[in-house]
Amino acid sequence: MTQPVSEKNPQSTVGKRPRPSRFVLLSTVAAVALGGAVLGNGGFSKGTPGAIWTTPANAETGSVAPLPANAFSFADVVDHVRSAVVSIKVKISEVADTDQSDEGGPQLSPDDPLEKFFRRFGGEEGQPFEFHHNRPHTEMAQGSGFIISSDGYVVTNNHVVDHATEVTITMDDGSTHPAKVIGTDKRTDLALLKIKGGGPFSYVKFASKSPRVGDWVIAVGNPFGLGGTVTAGIVSARGRDINSGPYDDYLQIDAPVNRGNSGGPTFNTQGDVVGINTAIYSPSGGSVGIGFDIPSDEARTVIAALESKGIVTRGWIGVEIQPVTSDIADSLGLKSEKGALVADTEKNSPAAAAGIKTGDVILSVNGESVDSPRELARKIAALGPNANAALLVWHDGSQKSFDVKLGTLPNEQVAKADTDQDTGTDNLTAFGLTLAPSDSVPGAAAGGVVVTNVDPDGTAAQKGLKVGDVILEAGGKTVKTPGEVAGVLGDAKKAGRKAVLLRVKSGDETHFVALELSKAS
């Protein structure tokens, strides 16, 4: 599966090769000058556009009343929002990629002996390769945004202004203004700018309620530098997770958006912002009618924090979490696959202080059920630092309540939603594993049982177990020898269990794997 990638430089002025991607962020880096202002304006105050689409049937004849000539026109909405939508031009100072030169060739240090070889023999028609050695360079990026206050606060995406050294706002009338970055939030890909001088400005507001699937929406933006571009469509889905961050909860829209639309608004038919254009699904890089917007209810909270403090602080309990699969649920005695399995707890974290331990499953927060690790991460983050959270946890085979006082999420650290179910272990030949005590394997970490060999056709290999992994626990019991692992598996099979839960350390990460007993021959 392809992962979302930053499109900070999809059209680099220095000629980098674009990396293939299906999920594409929508900012554009190019030498093209921005067109006129983009996007919409402040509050929509004239009649409700929705009214012109209401055509009740005639009660007597059952016929539908004729539609007015402008029944499906968005012109009134666009007229009222246009002056608040802006184009954003950004100067970025960067260093060339370490894995390739600006021409796509190899990146070698000046003292590398291969460089002399390539200079002499590698160029076309006897010409040497050109090497750039990661020298700094400047790029121009462009995107979209919208004004949310009369004094010139502008909302856009973080990836539009990331690493910016200079930001220029182009208004709908073609006038330009310098702007400064007030704050950014990488986890939600949002940024808040402030226009320097000028005003008062036309502005738009966030919608007071979320759109429904099937509602009309209007996107306004600056695709490929073509400012003031308007497209329309509907909300195709809600709650989309495209694996771009820990709090993904995107609206999916089918209004065409392209590179350069990043940070631009999507409006409802009342002229209020319901989403912020951020990414598209595209095999080719262009719009295929699948776009993803940050919902306005999420953006409103983040932007308010950036305006007041310049940063966003989130709640934190200090756990590494992963999904509950059917095998894991069965091995723990759970009746469903809902919740978030605690794969590890950080020392001195709020969770550790409250008594939550590895192998626990967090089922709810303050009475609200938790269906997945990502949902837990969002709920905890939203509560904020120093908040008290009542957690319902599956702990040692039964439900137990824990009161946790949340800490502050450290910078660049999130509750990890590990979706890889890559590790399970057994010493029995039937599972395709060979084990050894960790103290008998040179270089192995202390404690546990080390996987020394894996049958590629065995049950353990199917679960992703590999040589070098260390089994720390089996069935909730600490294990130090292959015999102890085998004993736990044998007891579980006699008890009629379908799987045994193994706690495995792989590299620097610790997670759980359910080893299916029924598949062992």
Side-chain angles (χ1 to χ4, degrees):
M1 173 178 176
T2 53
Q3 298 295 321
V5 298
S6 173
E7 287 297 325
K8 188 170 51 183
N9 57 347
Q11 296 180 7
S12 171
T13 56
V14 295
K16 293 181 183 175
R17 292 179 178 173
R19 294 178 173 86
S21 172
R22 296 287 178 89
F23 290 107
V24 181
L25 299 183
L26 298 176
S27 66
T28 301
V29 178
V32 179
L34 289 185
V38 189
L39 303 121
N41 110 323
F44 181 76
S45 58
K46 293 188 177 179
T48 303
I52 65 175
W53 297 317
T54 304
T55 56
N58 185 295
E60 295 181 1
T61 65
S63 63
V64 178
L67 294 175
N70 65 340
F72 292 97
S73 173
F74 300 105
D76 288 341
V77 180
V78 174
D79 284 346
H80 283 81
V81 302
R82 182 185 298 276
S83 59
V85 183
V86 300
S87 298
I88 300 174
K89 190 174 184 178
V90 178
K91 183 178 291 186
I92 300 172
S93 180
E94 289 195 330
V95 174
D97 287 349
T98 59
D99 60 346
Q100 59 181 1
S101 72
D102 293 349
E103 308 304 323
Q107 228 11 307
L108 301 176
S109 64
D111 56 351
D112 194 308
L114 286 177
E115 180 177 17
K116 183 179 295 185
F117 172 84
F118 283 124
R119 282 189 181 279
R120 183 173 181 182
F121 299 108
E124 295 182 3
E125 298 181 357
Q127 297 300 314
F129 283 127
E130 182 178 3
F131 293 90
H132 297 274
H133 306 303
N134 296 334
R135 64 170 178 250
H137 60 271
T138 299
E139 296 178 349
M140 299 302 296
Q142 55 187 354
S144 306
F146 56 99
I147 304 172
I148 59 169
S149 66
S150 61
D151 55 349
Y153 279 99
V154 176
V155 175
T156 188
N157 283 135
N158 171 71
H159 73 262
V160 172
V161 297
D162 197 22
H163 303 299
T165 58
E166 183 180 310
V167 180
T168 302
I169 302 294
T170 302
M171 310 295 291
D172 185 55
D173 60 7
S175 61
T176 60
H177 302 271
K180 64 178 179 178
V181 178
I182 299 300
T184 62
D185 183 50
K186 292 184 178 180
R187 294 185 179 102
T188 56
D189 197 12
L190 288 169
L192 182 65
L193 316 179
K194 180 72 163 60
I195 299 174
K196 298 179 181 178
F201 300 98
S202 297
Y203 63 94
V204 291
K205 62 181 180 180
F206 289 115
S208 58
K209 64 178 182 179
S210 301
R212 299 178 301 167
V213 174
D215 280 351
W216 282 104
V217 288
I218 305 139
V220 191
N222 180 40
F224 305 109
L226 302 173
T229 298
V230 180
T231 58
I234 64 169
V235 176
S236 303
R238 295 179 51 86
R240 289 301 196 202
D241 177 4
I242 63 174
N243 292 312
S244 65
Y247 311 120
D248 282 11
D249 190 26
Y250 287 103
L251 297 177
Q252 181 184 325
I253 65 171
D254 73 349
V257 289
N258 288 282
R259 291 172 176 171
N261 276 102
S262 266
T266 293
F267 296 99
N268 59 20
T269 54
Q270 286 72 48
D272 296 330
V273 178
V274 295
I276 300 169
N277 300 322
T278 301
I280 59 174
Y281 177 87
S282 176
S284 63
S287 174
V288 293
I290 303 177
F292 299 97
D293 280 19
I294 300 169
S296 58
D297 49 0
E298 177 182 349
R300 183 189 296 107
T301 302
V302 173
I303 294 302
L306 292 177
E307 183 177 355
S308 62
K309 298 181 291 186
I311 60 172
V312 179
T313 55
R314 295 181 169 90
W316 172 72
I317 58 174
V319 293
E320 185 175 324
I321 49 181
Q322 69 180 72
V324 178
T325 65
S326 59
D327 293 337
I328 290 175
D330 181 75
S331 64
L332 291 174
L334 288 168
K335 295 181 179 180
S336 75
E337 299 169 27
K338 294 184 178 181
L341 175 64
V342 178
D344 200 10
T345 57
E346 297 188 28
K347 292 182 179 179
N348 304 317
S349 66
I356 295 173
K357 64 179 183 178
T358 57
D360 287 349
V361 178
I362 300 175
L363 304 173
S364 71
V365 178
N366 291 337
E368 297 181 357
S369 62
V370 171
D371 292 335
S372 66
R374 197 171 296 274
E375 186 175 4
L376 174 64
R378 284 198 295 262
K379 289 181 181 296
I380 293 298
L383 290 175
N386 301 316
N388 293 314
L391 305 184
L392 180 64
V393 179
W394 186 258
H395 180 86
D396 291 338
S398 62
Q399 292 186 0
K400 183 178 180 180
S401 296
F402 291 84
D403 293 322
V404 182
K405 185 174 183 179
L406 305 186
T408 301
L409 181 67
N411 290 334
E412 304 305 320
Q413 186 174 337
V414 298
K416 182 181 294 185
D418 182 3
T419 58
D420 294 329
Q421 307 303 311
D422 286 349
T423 326
T425 293
D426 176 24
N427 186 41
L428 302 179
T429 304
F431 290 89
L433 282 174
T434 302
L435 307 179
S438 62
D439 56 11
S440 68
V441 179
V449 182
V450 179
V451 178
T452 58
N453 192 37
V454 179
D455 180 351
D457 298 320
T459 303
Q462 293 174 8
K463 288 293 183 178
L465 202 69
K466 56 186 180 295
V467 174
D469 287 345
V470 179
I471 301 174
L472 303 174
E473 296 177 4
K477 299 178 180 179
T478 301
V479 291
K480 296 181 180 180
T481 68
E484 290 177 345
V485 177
V488 171
L489 293 171
D491 291 344
K493 198 166 186 177
K494 292 178 182 177
R497 290 278 190 178
K498 295 180 180 179
V500 169
L501 197 63
L502 304 176
R503 182 170 174 243
V504 181
K505 185 176 181 63
S506 182
D508 293 329
E509 294 187 355
T510 303
H511 59 277
F512 286 92
V513 171
L515 192 65
E516 297 177 63
L517 301 177
S518 59
K519 291 188 177 182
S521 57

